[in-house]
Amino acid sequence: MPDPKSVFINRTIRQSIDFLLFSNIFIALCAVAQALVTYKLLHIKPDQHVLGVLFCSTLALYNFSMLLSKPANAKKSPFRRVRWIFGHYRMMVTLTIIAIISLLSLGLFLSVPSLILLFFLAVIAVAYNLPLFTMNEKKFGFRNIPGLKLFLIALIWSLSCVLLPIVETAAMNLITISAADTILLVGKRFLFIAAITVPFDIRDLFQDRNYNLKTIPVILGERKAYLFCQLLLLAYITLLFLFTKVPDANFWGLTVTILLSGFLIFKSSIKKNEYYYFLYIDGIMILQFIMILLFNWLFALIV
């Protein structure tokens, strides 16, 4: 007979992980971690308001997307995440409202250029989830355009977590970053985000086919989609090596993270459970920041 104490502990841990992952708090923390990576690479102090905006906007947007796409019978969904979200519907709505109110408050502390960028990203993000267009009496959105889903997700994340910190820092005259360096940083982050996004589409391959969503895995097939991920990571590594004059702690932190990303993507499959994707694959974004901190600490000890 199972030990009641062990059962209670396991259930509590499981419920805590479910809350963290499925409430989208974890993915919001991933956005914060990615912004911290940017600040670390630029050797500047993180802006707390920018971090707060990224957390709240990510939380609000992901919750909005899920609430908007409620299935006909959420309780019978094959996905634990969907069952959890709509089983805690009121809490999700409350979290979303709190995130939006907090976002509006934090926006008051940002510069005009940052607000313009945020508005642009918000329009794209909302348009991604809404069926704004009509063709042959069928409504569709950006996500239904073949191959565009991956591009938009990677673009929004890279501009939010890289360009926003740069724009806000430049507006405060704390640092001057060339256009070339900015493009390189955004480009590398785009490749990284795109690579870890594709496995989610591979997991949803059959569902996306049913909904006629032309994602990369639907277009290329499962095997070629995995290869596509590795090519994206290879492109990232290539840019990292080409534009790094002296391999420092940040360089090795990024390199190790990309190698780990490639391994986790290689080990992923349609049969993997949701925790593998929402904890491990998404968690790579937090791991990247941790690895940079770790290698900086190690280099400080050596030097």
Side-chain angles (χ1 to χ4, degrees):
M1 183 177 178
D3 180 19
K5 186 177 180 180
S6 298
V7 172
F8 173 76
I9 292 174
N10 290 334
R11 185 172 66 248
T12 302
I13 293 174
R14 181 73 171 265
Q15 290 174 344
S16 300
I17 293 175
D18 284 352
F19 172 75
L20 186 65
L21 296 181
F22 302 151
S23 67
N24 289 315
I25 288 176
F26 185 73
I27 193 67
L29 291 173
C30 290
V32 172
Q34 282 298 292
L36 288 172
V37 168
T38 300
Y39 284 117
K40 193 68 178 176
L41 295 177
L42 296 176
H43 305 288
I44 53 179
K45 183 181 178 181
D47 187 308
Q48 303 301 319
H49 298 119
V50 170
L51 298 181
V53 163
L54 286 173
F55 179 86
C56 293
S57 59
T58 304
L59 181 61
L61 183 61
Y62 272 72
N63 283 352
F64 170 75
S65 176
M66 285 302 301
L67 295 174
L68 193 66
S69 59
K70 182 180 180 180
N73 196 342
K75 292 182 179 180
K76 294 184 178 180
S77 171
F79 299 109
R80 181 180 179 87
R81 181 187 184 216
V82 174
R83 297 195 303 272
W84 190 95
I85 287 173
F86 292 102
H88 299 80
Y89 184 81
R90 289 185 178 180
M91 185 190 72
M92 293 296 290
V93 172
T94 302
L95 279 175
T96 306
I97 293 173
I98 292 173
I100 292 173
I101 294 173
S102 301
L103 178 61
L104 294 174
S105 301
L106 288 166
L108 298 175
F109 295 93
L110 298 186
S111 64
V112 173
S114 294
L115 291 175
I116 293 173
L117 175 60
L118 281 173
F119 178 76
F120 168 73
L121 293 173
V123 170
I124 296 177
V126 173
Y128 167 80
N129 291 289
L130 297 176
L132 300 175
F133 311 104
T134 304
M135 181 180 290
N136 298 327
E137 298 183 353
K138 288 186 177 180
K139 289 188 174 293
F140 67 96
F142 284 142
R143 64 186 300 174
N144 300 102
I145 300 175
L148 191 59
K149 178 183 177 182
L150 175 66
F151 175 81
L152 287 179
I153 292 175
L155 179 67
I156 291 170
W157 271 84
S158 55
L159 292 182
S160 300
C161 299
V162 179
L163 190 58
L164 178 61
I166 290 176
V167 168
E168 184 62 19
T169 301
M172 297 174 67
N173 297 316
L174 296 178
I175 192 173
T176 301
I177 305 168
S178 68
D181 288 338
T182 300
I183 292 172
L184 181 62
L185 281 172
V186 172
K188 287 190 296 184
R189 199 68 57 89
F190 179 93
L191 293 170
F192 171 64
I193 297 297
I196 64 174
T197 299
V198 173
F200 287 85
D201 288 335
I202 294 175
R203 186 202 62 169
D204 299 334
L205 180 61
F206 299 111
Q207 178 180 294
D208 287 342
R209 280 175 178 166
N210 291 333
Y211 285 105
N212 199 31
L213 293 178
K214 300 295 183 181
T215 60
I216 294 298
V218 172
I219 296 171
L220 299 179
E222 182 182 356
R223 183 172 297 182
K224 289 183 179 179
Y226 280 121
L227 178 60
F228 180 69
C229 291
Q230 303 299 342
L231 289 175
L232 290 173
L233 293 177
L234 179 61
Y236 182 105
I237 286 286
T238 302
L239 289 175
L240 188 61
F241 272 80
L242 287 177
F243 292 95
T244 300
K245 296 178 181 179
V246 180
D248 57 4
N250 293 336
F251 170 85
W252 290 112
L254 293 173
T255 301
V256 170
T257 305
I258 294 302
L259 294 176
L260 288 173
S261 301
F263 174 76
L264 288 173
I265 291 172
F266 176 76
K267 296 293 290 184
S268 65
S269 69
I270 293 176
K271 296 180 181 179
K272 291 285 187 182
N273 64 39
E274 292 173 82
Y275 296 104
Y276 187 89
Y277 291 92
F278 293 111
L279 184 59
Y280 295 158
I281 300 294
D282 275 344
I284 295 172
M285 290 188 278
I286 295 178
L287 178 65
Q288 189 175 58
F289 178 61
I290 293 174
M291 294 304 295
I292 288 175
L293 290 180
L294 176 61
F295 274 90
N296 272 276
W297 177 73
L298 290 174
F299 269 57
L301 287 180
I302 296 172
V303 177

